[in-house]
């Protein structure tokens, strides 16, 4: 018999009763200490972080709900007896689990009679979306909220000074000082408790602080500190907080005032998020400043995106505020344009928030919010992408000058970037976004500024960045994860790849721990691995790595696809390439002659030929072209890549790409008749080179030269002793 699940409202009411228990703040303090703090010694390791990914912890939205309910009445901070504390903890955990289960009872929130209909999709139902919105996880690290707030509000500093009597920098300094103060208290607490009777144990002191303590750390006058702190003490009562989806003032104003000079902050993350988001409400209350604040907000999203993308692509490949003209009429506007060889990114920025009505599961509100935040941005990006390849349209930069850039793009990636935390963003994109795909316009990549920040932090090379974007948008709904950071972390460790035989790749929530540590190490100075072990570390300094770097430096359209292909190869294949190139260089340095290696890739629809020599490009170039043409023909491949690597200095010299339809030719049949067999990248053994003489085709003095020049061999390349 199936267990009956109570209504959510009934469970919520019981939860409110528990939170009103005298001394319940000590229960909240325990849950915050247990769920929000990571304990480690010296160096932060994945094992230290993994605990937070276990299924038995409370998420921040749950704890915020407990805080909000506890604050509906005047707080009683008397310490309960240990047995009372434990009963409250157990009951709280039980009710939180029950309320989560009640949100997942789909039969109660959609019409089961419509299941057989062709267009039926229960996940588009607003009530179904409530669960991923509430439990979907955080979109940002706490230090990102702090770092980005510095940039977001730099143009609003005069308003802060005039209306709040403190600067944006002072605001940030106080938040960081509270963070330092709580960390110090948490580190000292266990030692202090060891000297106390267990009946007196409580974690509440970690979360209490005074204005003087903060003033001493921040070196800011105590009156200013008090103003700053009380700016995040809620001016709103809790009477309207009666369900999970109601506006909880303790999210926007997370500091609780206990007395004239004593305060309580349970979740530092909530304060950093409030730092980033709450000034929006302050600006909005000032009718005279509202328009300027909105303009600054929009400019922040664009400017931040530009600066982050410049870290990857450089100053000369990133453009902002591009107008597209048909004759004298403006027909499109691109917020940010990135170009790299024959690839482009069109980024459209938005700053729309998810409304309270949407969080409650209102279908019309959800779809309206999504349209304003995402769909409109995508439609604009797609329209501009269509115009980008049409040379009749002019691209004019913000300086008023026409852009003199490549106008033939093999791949264009529409990016939609939102500046605010948009709950369950990727889940909503899968349900609501309507998009198109053409031969060169790829599916969209929808993200917030926080994901763009992390991507550009970890993938600071054009090929690595574009390679990830290429696969991420290509797989689309094949990858299931509660968060985009999980997918990025998986890629950094394992190289994102989904075999065609699989319909879905599901990624667990514990995967991002290495990425979490890397970001903490880079931004917070935590001792830990700043680069996750994987694609960015394994082949660093090898011949393979040098080829990738060489392709980026050449930035030639002919071999960008090769870079993408190489970055998608398996570990075994990359090792084969490294071994093969090492052998080519070894032989070339020994005998001074040309040596080559040919490998079949991608189900024999493509291949790679590597030439190793120091001949002048006027000689080695035509030979490589001819060799690739022969190989492509022999394998009836759709494309064939060729690269030339130096012998004395083993760097990428140049490359070619042969990509065209295969057509039978009697002349080519004769020319490729004696071509030696290539290495197949599917084989797991190492490459075994046959003696060069056995791999060579004897070319008659009066035959046409294999370089394709049309001259006789004796009058062209005979003296170079070229071996195909």
């Amino acid at each position: 018999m199936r267990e009956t699940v109570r209504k959510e409202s009934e469970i919520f009411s019981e939860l409110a009763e528990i939170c009103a228990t005298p001394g319940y703040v000590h229960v909240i303090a325990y849950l915050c200490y247990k769920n929000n703090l990571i304990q480690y010694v010296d160096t932060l390791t994945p094992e230290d972080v993994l605990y937070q990914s276990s299924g038995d912890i409370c998420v921040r939205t749950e704890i915020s709900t407990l805080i909000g309910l506890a604050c509906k009445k005047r707080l009683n901070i008397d310490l309960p007896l240990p047995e009372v504390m434990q009963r409250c903890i157990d009951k709280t955990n039980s009710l939180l689990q029950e309320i989560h289960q009640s949100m997942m009872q789909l039969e109660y929130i959609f019409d089961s009679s419509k299941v057989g209909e062709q267009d039926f999709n229960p996940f588009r139902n607003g009530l179904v979306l409530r669960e991923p919105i509430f439990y979907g996880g955080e979109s940002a690290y706490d230090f990102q909220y702090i770092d980005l707030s510095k940039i977001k509000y730099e143009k609003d500093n005069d308003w802060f000074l005039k209306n709040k009597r403190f600067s944006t920098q002072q605001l940030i300094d106080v938040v960081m000082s509270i963070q330092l103060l709580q960390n110090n208290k948490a580190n000292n607490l266990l030692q202090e408790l060891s000297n106390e009777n267990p009946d007196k144990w409580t974690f509440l002191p970690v979360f209490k602080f005074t204005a003087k303590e903060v003033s001493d750390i921040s070196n800011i006058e105590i009156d200013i500190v008090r103003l700053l702190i009380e700016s995040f003490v809620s001016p709103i009562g809790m009477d309207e907080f009666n369900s999970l989806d109601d506006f909880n003032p303790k999210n926007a104003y997370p500091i609780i005032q206990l007395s004239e000079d004593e305060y309580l902050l349970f979740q530092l993350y909530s304060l950093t998020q409030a730092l980033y988001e709450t000034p929006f409400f302050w600006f909005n209350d000032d009718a005279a400043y509202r328009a300027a604040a909105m303009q600054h907000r929009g400019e922040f999203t664009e400017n931040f995106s530009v600066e982050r993308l410049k870290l990857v692509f450089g100053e000369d490949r990133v453009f902002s505020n591009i107008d597209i003209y048909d004759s004298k009429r403006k027909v499109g506007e691109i917020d940010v344009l990135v170009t790299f060889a024959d690839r482009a990114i069109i980024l459209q920025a938005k700053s729309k928030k998810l409304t309270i009505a949407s969080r409650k599961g209102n279908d019309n509100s959800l779809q309206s919010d999504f349209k304003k935040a995402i769909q409109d941005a995508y439609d604009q990006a797609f329209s501009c992408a269509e115009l980008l390849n049409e040379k009749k349209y002019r691209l004019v930069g913000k300086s008023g000058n026409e852009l003199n850039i490549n106008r033939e793009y093999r791949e264009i990636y529409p990016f939609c970037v939102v500046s605010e935390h948009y709950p369950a963003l990727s889940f909503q994109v899968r349900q609501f976004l309507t998009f198109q795909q053409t031969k060169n316009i790829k599916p969209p990549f929808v993200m917030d500024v926080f994901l763009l920040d992390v991507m550009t932090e970890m993938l600071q090379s054009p090929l690595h960045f574009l390679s990830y974007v290429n696969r991420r948008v290509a797989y689309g709904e094949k990858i299931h994860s509660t968060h985009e950071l999980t997918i990025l972390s998986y890629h950094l460790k394992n190289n994102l790849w989904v075999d065609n035989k699989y319909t879905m790749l599901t990624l667990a929530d514990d995967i991002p721990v290495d990425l979490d540590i890397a970001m903490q190490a880079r931004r917070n100075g935590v001792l830990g691995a700043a680069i996750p072990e994987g694609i960015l570390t394994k082949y660093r300094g090898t011949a393979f790595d040098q080829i990738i770097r060489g392709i980026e430096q050449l930035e030639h359209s002919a071999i960008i696809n090769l870079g993408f292909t190489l970055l998608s190869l398996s570990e075994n294949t990359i090792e084969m390439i490294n071994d093969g190139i090492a052998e080519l260089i070894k032989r070339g340095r020994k005998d001074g002659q040309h040596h080559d290696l040919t490998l079949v890739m991608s189900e024999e629809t493509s291949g790679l030929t590597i030439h190793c020599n120091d001949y002048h490009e006027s000689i080695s170039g035509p030979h490589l072209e001819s060799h690739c043409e022969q190989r492509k023909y022999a394998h009836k491949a759709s494309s064939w890549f060729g690269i030339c690597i130096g012998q004395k200095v083993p760097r990428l010299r140049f490359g070619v790409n042969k990509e065209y339809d295969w057509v039978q030719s009697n002349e080519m049949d004769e020319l490729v008749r004696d071509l030696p067999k290539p290495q197949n990248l599917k084989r797991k053994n190492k490459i075994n080179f046959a003696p060069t003489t056995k791999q060579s085709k004897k070319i008659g003095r009066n035959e046409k030269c294999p370089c394709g020049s049309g001259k006789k061999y004796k009058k062209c390349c005979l003296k170079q002793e070229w071996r195909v």
Side-chain angles (χ1 to χ4, degrees), residues 109-163:
I109 52 182
F110 69 81
D111 187 352
S112 59
S113 66
K114 296 183 179 181
V115 171
E117 296 181 7
Q118 183 177 357
D119 297 329
F120 176 71
N121 180 0
F123 298 106
R124 290 176 63 90
N125 186 304
L127 293 176
V128 176
L129 282 165
R130 290 179 64 245
E131 193 275 339
I133 287 174
F134 189 82
Y135 293 98
E138 311 296 350
S139 67
Y141 297 106
D142 55 359
F143 48 82
Q144 282 184 295
Y145 279 131
I146 294 173
D147 292 344
L148 271 64
S149 292
K150 296 177 184 178
I151 307 168
K152 186 178 183 181
Y153 297 121
E154 60 185 357
K155 293 184 178 180
D156 301 305
N157 190 58
D158 289 343
W159 185 93
F160 278 109
L161 289 170
K162 178 181 177 182
N163 294 274

Side-chain angles (χ1 to χ4, degrees), residues 476-489:
E477 296 186 9
K478 266 195 167 187
I479 305 175
H480 184 266
S481 170
T482 57
H483 207 288
E484 281 290 337
L485 289 178
T486 303
I487 304 172
L488 175 60
S489 183

